[in-house]
């Protein structure tokens, strides 16, 4: 058995480095993002593939307090048979088990809890290829993206949350003497978790979005119930399995982390989220359910990340080719099934100035279409960028958008030789006018974007500010060579409460964020109530309770 304190000392260098990186905001990653044999060795990839394959068609090896039967709910977007079953959760039993685990977890202290969390991340990293296959075949991400976003980058986001939580919970000294004249006291401070935490997973990025809340709650002293989306259970089941193994090995109650698998429509998420003992809710998913949680989980602090109207403002550029290539990739990555994918592209009626000459909205639309076709022209390469359509809801929105007038880049099907059962579609782009508010103020999650004609750049910035204030956004992008326009765009982004990218024409894309440097979400607009990861994301998860006592008076004689 390795105690939590021993795990902290074993991972002390990593934890200190993570805290430093979170403060410096420069590039740093603890987990290599390339699945290359040069990085991970010859055997890591085939071993991960075998481990994933061995899970298919089987009951997943995990114990769940008070389980009542089993569920099998996942379908691979790539068409392979998964057939993995999980113990079906009894929500009341999970809450009771979590509460019973609190005292031992509290006594482990912030450093001990951080040591346990770091060991969980280390063991998950040892299974990163297996985890990547699980992400790929539940979300539809292409394998390399699943390895990066669902594996290495998710682990970085988890470690980032550990770093913020450890720094916040050790800001006050655990013990301090106090003297006032002849009076002497000893004062101790104990970090106490807010209560049972609930992580409600999403179907597109179950680990990348799930790890921050999970690890922030754990390090701040809370037991956590992980409730995966029925369509993407396996990545989080693997995570909970590793959590429970590490907790057991550290001599702790494994019910500090439990799994709440359910059939679609069981309503376990709502039942747990409104339970009086559940005091923290982390949610990623639809705006509809996120809004419901914010309104109804009143006993809890609720951290939501939903979706919104991610916006691009076009004014001018001195790298037109780079702009087109960068934007085409942003629209195509994972078939637009990212909460950060641009939806509304605003362009003035008289066009934009570029190094290739002035381009009208019609010309820009034709050029963007050509850039998409060039990027996705080779089906083998296209599949690695697009991934597969994750569910029927995305497919339905895509079909609906295809019936509209003004489509300038229809969505087409692409075949994948390796996975003939996969549904792979290219992005759809449609032309709209600024007056078509009813269409572009609706969220079209998936590979659907609109090129919207406005009266001027000033008009574009006004639409950007107003729509994001009302409907939310996680990203915004402006292209301009004018310092005054860039300054106005920065002000508009501050007013709208959204992160802004400027003039992206290279290998950094508006829908990608880096742990330890980029914030994801702001809490300042309706798309999210928190940011990954800042102090607010962790400080609402714990309290610090003080105890004080007289010290014996020392006789000077």
């Amino acid at each position: 058995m390795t105690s939590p304190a021993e795990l902290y000392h074993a991972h002390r260098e990593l934890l200190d480095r993570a805290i430093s990186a979170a403060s410096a905001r420069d590039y740093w990653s603890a987990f290599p993002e390339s699945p290359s044999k040069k990085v991970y060795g010859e055997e890591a990839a085939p071993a991960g593939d075998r481990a994933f394959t061995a899970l298919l068609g089987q009951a997943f090896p995990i114990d769940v307090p008070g389980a009542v039967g089993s569920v099998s709910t996942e379908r691979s977007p790539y068409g392979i048979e998964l057939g993995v079953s999980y113990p079906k959760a009894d929500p009341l039993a999970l809450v009771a088990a979590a509460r019973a685990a609190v005292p031992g977890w509290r006594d482990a202290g912030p450093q001990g809890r951080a040591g346990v969390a770091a060991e969980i991340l280390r063991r998950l990293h040892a299974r990163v290829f297996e985890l990547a296959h699980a992400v790929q075949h539940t979300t539809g991400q292409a394998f390399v993206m699943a390895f990066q976003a669902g594996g290495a980058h998710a682990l970085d986001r988890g470690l980032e949350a550990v770093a913020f939580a450890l720094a916040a919970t050790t800001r006050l000294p655990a013990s301090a003497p106090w003297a006032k004249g002849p009076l002497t006291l000893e004062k101790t401070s104990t970090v106490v978790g807010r209560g049972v935490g609930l992580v409600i997973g999403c179907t597109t990025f179950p680990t990348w979005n799930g790890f921050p809340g999970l690890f922030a709650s754990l390090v701040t002293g809370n037991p956590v119930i992980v409730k995966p989306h029925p369509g993407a259970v396996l990545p989080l089941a693997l995570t909970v399995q590793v959590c429970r193994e590490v907790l057991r090995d550290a001599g702790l109650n494994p019910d500090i982390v439990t799994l709440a698998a359910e059939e679609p429509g069981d309503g376990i998420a709502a039942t747990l989220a409104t339970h009086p003992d559940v005091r923290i809710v982390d949610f990623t998913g639809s705006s509809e359910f996120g809004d419901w949680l914010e309104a109804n989980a009143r006993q809890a602090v609720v951290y939501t990340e939903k979706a919104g109207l991610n916006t691009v403002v076009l004014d001018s550029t001195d790298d037109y080719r780079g702009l087109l290539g960068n934007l085409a990739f942003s629209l195509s990555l994972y078939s637009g099934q990212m909460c950060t994918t641009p939806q509304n592209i605003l362009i003035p009626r008289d066009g934009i100035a570029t190094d290739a000459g002035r381009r009208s909205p019609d010309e820009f639309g034709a050029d963007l279409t050509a850039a998409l076709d060039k990027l996705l022209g080779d089906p083998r390469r296209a599949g690695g960028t697009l991934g597969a359509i994750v569910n029927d809801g995305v497919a339905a929105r895509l079909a609906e958008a295809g019936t509209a007038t003004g489509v300038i880049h229809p969505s087409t099907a692409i075949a994948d030789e390796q996975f003939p059962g996969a549904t792979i579609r290219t992005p759809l782009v449609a032309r709209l006018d600024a007056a078509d508010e009813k269409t572009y103020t609706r969220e079209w999650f998936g590979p659907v974007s609109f090129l919207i004609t406005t009266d001027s750049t000033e008009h574009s910035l006004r639409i950007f500010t107003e729509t994001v204030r009302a409907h939310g956004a996680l990203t915004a992008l402006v292209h301009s060579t004018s310092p005054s326009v860039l300054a106005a765009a920065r002000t508009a982004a501050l007013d709208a409460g959204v992160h802004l990218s400027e003039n992206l024409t290279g290998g950094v894309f508006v829908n990608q964020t880096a742990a330890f440097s980029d914030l994801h979400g702001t809490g300042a607009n309706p798309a999210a109530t928190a940011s990954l990861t800042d102090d607010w994301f962790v400080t609402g998860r714990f309290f610090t309770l003080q105890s004080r006592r007289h010290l014996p008076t020392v006789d000077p004689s």
Side-chain angles (χ1 to χ4, degrees):
M1 184 180 78
T2 305
S3 70
E6 290 170 326
L7 288 173
Y8 173 70
H9 289 295
H11 296 295
R12 175 72 181 272
E13 183 178 350
L14 173 67
L15 293 167
D16 287 348
R17 182 67 183 88
I19 291 173
S20 176
S23 176
R25 313 307 292 177
D26 197 2
Y27 171 75
W28 182 70
S29 173
F31 305 100
E33 67 177 3
S34 171
S36 168
K37 295 177 182 178
K38 295 180 181 179
V39 177
Y40 285 92
E42 294 285 339
E43 288 303 312
D49 190 12
R50 290 192 298 271
F52 167 72
T53 303
L55 295 171
L56 304 183
Q58 307 292 325
F60 187 81
I62 192 170
D63 55 311
V64 172
V68 285
S70 64
V71 297
S72 180
T73 56
E74 295 160 303
R75 178 189 63 84
S76 170
Y78 285 97
I80 72 168
E81 187 68 31
L82 297 178
V84 185
S85 62
Y86 308 90
K88 184 175 182 179
D90 174 351
L92 299 184
L94 292 180
V95 173
R99 280 181 53 82
V102 166
W105 192 229
R106 180 179 61 225
D107 292 346
Q111 287 93 345
R113 292 191 292 267
V116 170
E119 177 63 14
I120 292 169
L121 291 166
R122 184 194 72 80
R123 293 197 197 180
L124 283 169
H125 186 229
R127 299 174 67 175
V128 68
F129 281 91
E130 178 187 4
L131 184 63
H133 283 293
V135 171
Q136 177 187 15
H137 285 289
T138 53
T139 69
Q141 294 177 32
F143 178 77
V144 172
M145 183 178 183
F147 185 93
Q148 293 177 342
H153 296 170
L155 294 168
D156 274 336
R157 279 295 186 193
L159 181 58
E160 179 185 45
V162 171
F164 270 89
L166 178 58
T169 52
T170 55
R171 199 159 287 148
L172 297 179
S175 178
W178 182 88
K180 182 181 179 182
L183 298 174
T184 57
L185 297 175
E186 178 189 42
K187 301 184 180 184
T188 59
S189 297
T190 302
V191 170
V192 176
R194 190 180 191 96
V196 178
L198 171 65
V199 173
I200 304 173
C202 65
T203 187
T204 49
F205 289 88
T207 53
W208 196 96
N209 283 110
F211 282 6
L214 169 64
F215 287 102
S217 281
L218 286 177
V219 176
T220 52
N222 306 280
V224 180
I225 299 169
V226 178
K227 209 299 292 183
H229 189 284
V233 183
L234 186 55
L236 291 178
L238 286 167
T239 301
V240 173
Q241 182 189 60
V242 170
C243 289
R244 293 175 67 83
E245 289 173 354
V246 172
L247 289 163
R248 282 194 183 96
D249 291 348
L252 294 163
N253 187 336
D255 292 341
I256 292 164
V257 183
T258 54
L259 182 72
E262 64 168 341
E263 293 279 0
D266 279 355
I268 285 180
T271 299
L272 287 170
T274 53
H275 192 287
D277 291 330
V278 171
R279 303 299 303 281
I280 304 164
V281 177
D282 288 279
F283 168 78
T284 301
S286 70
S287 295
E288 182 181 10
F289 191 56
D291 293 342
W292 186 92
L293 288 169
E294 291 167 16
N296 290 278
R298 295 185 176 276
Q299 84 294 344
V301 58
V302 179
Y303 301 98
T304 61
E305 190 229 286
K306 299 171 285 188
L309 309 181
N310 301 318
T311 303
V312 179
V313 175
L314 300 175
D315 173 72
S316 55
T317 181
D318 56 10
D319 184 2
Y320 189 52
R321 182 179 178 182
L323 182 160
L324 290 168
N326 187 283
L327 184 56
F329 185 80
S330 296
L331 299 184
S332 302
L333 185 60
Y334 185 31
S335 297
Q337 298 169 122
M338 303 174 70
C339 57
T340 50
T341 300
Q343 174 179 300
N344 295 339
I345 305 167
L346 305 172
I347 184 169
R349 203 173 306 280
D350 63 353
I352 61 173
T354 82
D355 54 324
R358 193 157 197 90
R359 310 301 286 175
S360 69
D362 285 341
E363 290 169 325
F364 179 84
D367 294 340
L368 180 59
T369 291
L372 286 166
D373 290 341
K374 180 180 179 181
L375 174 68
L376 305 173
D378 180 345
R380 286 172 296 182
R381 285 183 54 202
T385 300
L386 294 167
I389 299 298
V390 67
N391 58 39
D392 293 340
V394 174
R397 283 188 293 275
L398 185 57
E400 181 184 354
T403 64
T405 57
V407 173
I408 58 174
H409 187 270
S411 178
T412 59
I414 289 181
D416 188 317
E417 294 180 359
Q418 184 180 3
F419 300 109
T423 299
I424 303 175
R425 300 294 298 271
T426 63
L428 180 146
V429 181
R431 282 285 306 276
L432 294 177
D433 188 85
D436 298 323
E437 293 182 1
K438 187 175 181 180
T439 300
Y440 66 77
T441 57
R442 168 186 163 190
E443 295 172 17
W444 294 76
F445 183 80
V448 177
S449 296
F450 302 106
L451 181 61
I452 304 165
T453 303
T454 68
D455 295 336
S456 63
T457 297
E458 183 181 5
H459 186 207
S460 295
L461 290 172
R462 189 163 65 250
I463 290 173
F464 160 53
T465 304
E466 291 171 355
T467 56
V468 173
R469 275 179 176 171
H471 304 280
L474 291 168
T475 61
L477 170 64
V478 61
H479 279 278
S480 181
T481 58
S482 165
S484 62
V485 170
L486 292 176
R490 291 167 193 157
T491 298
L494 293 175
D495 290 341
V498 65
H499 302 303
L500 179 68
S501 297
E502 302 174 13
N503 295 326
L504 297 183
T505 57
V508 174
F509 304 94
V510 67
N511 43 352
Q512 296 176 317
T513 58
F516 300 101
S517 182
D518 294 320
L519 296 172
H520 176 75
T522 66
N525 72 67
T529 61
S531 185
L532 307 181
T533 301
D534 61 7
D535 283 334
W536 158 245
F537 189 69
V538 299
T539 53
R541 299 171 191 266
F542 70 94
F543 306 106
T544 302
L545 303 187
Q546 192 178 62
S547 175
R548 57 187 181 175
R549 63 200 59 83
H550 281 288
L551 290 173
T553 302
V554 178
D555 187 343
S557 63

